[in-house]
Amino acid sequence: MSDNSQTSTRGNWGTRVGFVLAATGSAIGLGNIWKFPYITGVYGGGAFVLVYLFCVLLIGLPLMIAELMIGRRTQKNPVGAFKALHHEKSIWQMTGWLGIASGFLILSFYSVVAGWAIAYIFKSIVGFSGTTEMIQGQFIELVTSPKSSILWHTVFMGLTIAIVIGGIKKGIERWSKILMPLLFALLLGLMIYGLAFTHGGVQALSFLFKPDFSKLTAEGILSALGHAFFTLSLGMGAMLTYGSYMKRETNLIKDAITVSFLDTLIALMAGVTIFSMVFNYNLEPAAGPGLIFQTLPVLFAQTGPWISVPFFILLSFAALTSSISLLEVVVSYFIDERKWSRMKATLILGGMIYLTGILSAVASWQVMFRGKEQGWLDVFDFVTTNYMLPIGGLLTCIFVAWVMPDKDKVEEFGSRGIMYQGLILLLRFVTPLAVFIVILHGLELLPFMEYK
Ligand code: TRP
């Protein structure tokens, strides 16, 4: 076991707030503002939201605590951490490997979508005008033009690489402190506008919070679970890595609750805002990945660039604080275990991820996947979110519950009290069983269910 002497060379968050900001920054991103509303629309609303909330509480929160415990205990990257807590040749290091692969693939398509957000900063400056169809057409134009998609993907990946080369801690702490509260305030303003001043507010609330279980499919349940992992940055060692830069004194339970709460709050606010617009302007809730880019600009055509420019700047920033956590996981392995320099690791891995992302940036490159022709973006998204992250999470949870020594856990948790016993009980039985069942259900393999 390593001790805290490593801490000084690896660097630490400056303050407790520093960790919370960085972890919240990792969690809040495109997952909340782009993905949550769009998949909620696709999977039919309220019932999906309810399952997602259950997953956050019963699976996400305990797992976040588990990842933070491993990270802070070992002060290592995901592969090194499993080795340190078990032994050098431990099979559990595969969990770390799976995480690094997930981070690699997620970042490749994440950067493409974040690129769209940056493109929309510039579209906002010009302003949106014309009919709803014309405004929506701008999005189609962007995604079907490989030249622009690749250009913006290049810009975003370049920014991510530059920040990770600089070492993530100083920059993130400073900027997050200013920009995250601004994003919150702007979203709050837009939500209040949607609720109070449009005709869509009431309908949005009932769409999101009145569950209609007849609309819930096996795939919907699997996606709700996958999304809980995605939005909380779990299942691939990102929280583990951020936890490894955490100081001992802080209370990791409180921090995990804060991060999960803020993340969920932002997602729900984004959902209310976007569906108010969808219902107000009679748009299609199940429009898919283009949803925010095709609905908010219809509103922005009336409000003008004063609202839309800041909105897309803040969205891009939120994406950036998430993408650096994805790249940091991949890079920290090569720095810690292979002794590469930060510069070399970031440039090589970042470059490979960038190239892989081009597959997702070119919408016309399609493959047969689950019975239909789909772009690479959707394929990578589906496989990582719905299978790789839940499997990574399942393994992490089993490891902490059954393999990690009791002494290590208790010391990280801070006590052996009732809360600790409850957490271990969840991690031993409830969380792994729930994840396992949902994965089987998603594969339509549960024996007692009837699948069409
Ligand atoms: N949570 C981020 C979002 O919602 C995305 C993200 C960052 C992520 N780091 C991650 C997802 C690690 C899974 C794993 O946009």
Side-chain angles (χ1 to χ4, degrees):
M1 254 299 323
S2 61
D3 62 21
N4 269 357
S5 59
Q6 280 207 357
T7 313
S8 49
T9 49
R10 273 183 107 235
N12 254 321
W13 305 112
T15 55
R16 157 150 193 241
V17 181
F19 165 76
V20 175
L21 277 174
T24 313
S26 167
I28 295 174
L30 297 171
N32 307 60
I33 297 170
W34 162 71
K35 199 168 175 192
F36 172 71
Y38 118 60
I39 56 179
T40 299
V42 169
Y43 292 115
F48 173 86
V49 174
L50 197 65
V51 177
Y52 154 77
L53 291 175
F54 263 106
C55 290
V56 167
L57 211 63
L58 275 180
I59 299 172
L61 190 57
L63 199 66
M64 186 178 298
I65 297 171
E67 278 201 27
L68 293 178
M69 276 170 99
I70 302 181
R72 197 171 66 173
R73 189 68 191 161
T74 60
Q75 311 267 320
K76 283 185 190 303
N77 69 86
V79 173
F82 284 100
K83 285 199 219 165
L85 285 172
H86 202 210
H87 57 81
E88 195 52 32
K89 297 249 150 53
S90 171
I91 183 89
W92 287 98
Q93 65 184 292
M94 297 292 289
T95 313
W97 276 110
L98 179 69
I100 290 168
S102 311
F104 187 108
L105 291 177
I106 292 176
L107 182 53
S108 77
F109 73 80
Y110 200 85
S111 169
V112 173
V113 179
W116 299 343
I118 300 184
Y120 265 73
I121 299 175
F122 294 92
K123 286 188 190 293
S124 298
I125 294 173
V126 181
F128 299 101
S129 58
T131 63
T132 304
E133 285 75 41
M134 281 159 72
I135 292 171
Q136 297 191 329
Q138 292 198 347
F139 177 72
I140 310 289
E141 220 172 276
L142 171 68
V143 295
T144 51
S145 146
K147 241 202 230 139
S148 357
S149 291
I150 293 175
L151 170 73
W152 297 115
H153 163 56
T154 310
V155 171
F156 185 80
M157 213 43 221
L159 285 171
T160 304
I161 290 173
I163 296 179
V164 172
I165 286 179
I168 57 170
K169 286 153 227 135
K170 274 173 273 144
I172 303 192
E173 281 195 52
R174 199 169 41 218
W175 284 100
S176 298
K177 240 179 254 177
I178 309 166
L179 293 172
M180 304 245 299
L182 276 180
L183 177 67
F184 181 83
L186 189 63
L187 204 55
L188 187 68
L190 288 174
M191 181 180 80
I192 292 172
Y193 176 82
L195 281 177
F197 301 104
T198 74
H199 303 293
V202 176
Q203 236 178 313
L205 289 179
S206 87
F207 181 75
L208 286 168
F209 299 113
K210 256 215 203 127
D212 172 359
F213 286 98
S214 68
K215 288 192 185 150
L216 200 60
T217 57
E219 191 181 304
I221 295 178
L222 179 66
S223 298
L225 173 77
H227 186 66
F229 282 90
F230 187 92
T231 190
L232 295 173
S233 301
L234 294 175
M236 58 151 277
M239 285 298 165
L240 189 158
T241 305
Y242 272 23
S244 76
Y245 306 128
M246 215 175 177
K247 287 198 189 118
R248 264 299 142 66
E249 312 89 70
T250 65
N251 178 342
L252 91 209
I253 316 301
K254 247 209 249 105
D255 289 355
I257 292 176
T258 309
V259 174
S260 311
F261 173 77
L262 289 174
D263 184 77
T264 309
L265 185 68
I266 295 278
L268 295 176
M269 284 166 65
V272 171
T273 308
I274 285 164
F275 285 108
S276 306
M277 301 309 150
V278 167
F279 294 118
N280 187 47
Y281 296 109
N282 278 318
L283 309 174
E284 170 57 48
L291 188 69
I292 72 158
F293 298 101
Q294 295 181 306
T295 51
L296 288 183
V298 178
L299 164 73
F300 293 151
Q302 285 157 32
T303 60
W306 301 114
I307 307 288
S308 54
V309 175
F311 179 82
F312 286 111
I313 290 178
L314 293 170
L315 180 61
S316 307
F317 177 78
L320 198 58
T321 54
S322 300
S323 66
I324 48 191
S325 76
L326 289 159
L327 187 53
E328 180 68 16
V329 171
V330 181
V331 164
S332 73
Y333 165 76
F334 286 87
I335 298 175
D336 291 355
E337 307 287 311
R338 301 282 180 96
K339 308 292 172 221
W340 289 14
S341 70
R342 177 166 279 273
M343 176 74 101
K344 174 177 163 193
T346 312
L347 284 178
I348 294 182
L349 273 305
M352 287 166 61
I353 292 169
Y354 167 72
L355 292 176
T356 311
I358 292 180
L359 283 174
S360 298
V362 183
S364 57
W365 290 346
Q366 303 220 319
V367 277
M368 266 311 260
F369 180 68
R370 299 170 63 251
K372 52 180 188 260
E373 289 275 317
Q374 303 190 46
W376 284 101
L377 197 159
D378 296 315
V379 175
F380 284 148
D381 188 2
F382 196 89
V383 172
T384 51
T385 305
N386 293 356
Y387 296 112
M388 293 174 76
L389 296 179
I391 290 170
L394 181 63
L395 293 173
T396 307
C397 167
I398 295 174
F399 179 84
V400 171
W402 299 94
V403 183
M404 185 170 168
D406 221 28
K407 174 178 153 289
D408 289 327
K409 284 185 286 214
V410 176
E411 269 186 45
E412 288 311 316
F413 196 86
S415 88
R416 252 181 207 287
I418 181 95
M419 290 276 283
Y420 176 76
Q421 304 299 339
L423 175 77
I424 296 298
L425 208 68
L426 272 178
L427 288 175
R428 285 221 159 130
F429 305 104
V430 182
T431 312
L433 203 65
V435 175
F436 189 62
I437 290 175
V438 174
I439 293 176
L440 283 185
H441 186 49
L443 292 168
E444 309 206 334
L445 286 177
L446 279 188
F448 46 84
M449 295 286 288
E450 277 181 38
Y451 298 104
K452 284 179 277 218

